[in-house]
């Protein structure tokens, strides 16, 4: 069978929101094919399919705004708890 999954990470050195990076990765059969990085503010593709999908997501302003908001919603919330 085939497996697709997502991995969400928050990389941080402090609880300051400017020091936090939110990363949402897309994997297919253990290979990362696309990623959203809050440091870049956009999606990046790592193979032919990922590059095409990233281009579609990057054209959608509401999708980018939603993902950028996750840095505060997801990461900042959890950093304060941890």
């Amino acid at each position: 069978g085939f497996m697709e999954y997502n991995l969400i990470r928050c990389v941080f050195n402090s609880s300051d929101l400017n020091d936090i990076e939110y990363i949402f990765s897309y994997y297919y059969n253990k290979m990362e094919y696309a990623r959203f990085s809050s440091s870049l503010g956009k999606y990046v593709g790592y193979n032919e399919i990922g590059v095409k999908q990233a281009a579609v997501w990057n054209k959608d302003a509401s999708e980018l705004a939603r993902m950028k908001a996750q840095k505060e919603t997801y990461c900042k919330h959890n950093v304060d708890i941890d």
Side-chain angles (χ1 to χ4, degrees):
F2 299 99
M3 184 186 316
E4 183 170 20
Y5 59 95
N6 304 94
L7 179 65
I8 301 170
R9 296 178 295 186
C10 299
V11 180
F12 56 92
N13 294 321
S14 75
S15 60
D16 182 353
L17 195 58
N18 292 326
D19 293 335
I20 298 172
E21 181 181 16
Y22 172 79
I23 302 169
F24 192 105
S25 297
Y26 296 83
Y27 288 85
Y28 183 75
N29 284 350
K30 300 182 183 179
M31 295 188 67
E32 185 178 24
Y33 67 89
R35 166 191 298 190
F36 175 85
S37 168
S38 65
S39 294
L40 298 174
K42 66 178 184 175
Y43 286 92
V44 177
Y46 295 107
N47 62 18
E48 185 178 347
I49 293 171
V51 168
K52 289 179 182 179
Q53 188 59 56
V56 170
W57 289 326
N58 287 332
K59 289 179 186 175
D60 186 345
S62 64
E63 172 64 13
L64 291 178
R66 183 181 73 80
M67 293 303 284
K68 289 175 184 177
Q70 291 300 307
K71 180 176 170 178
E72 184 168 359
T73 304
Y74 184 82
C75 293
K76 179 66 173 154
H77 170 75
N78 288 307
V79 157
D80 289 341
I81 292 171
D82 292 339

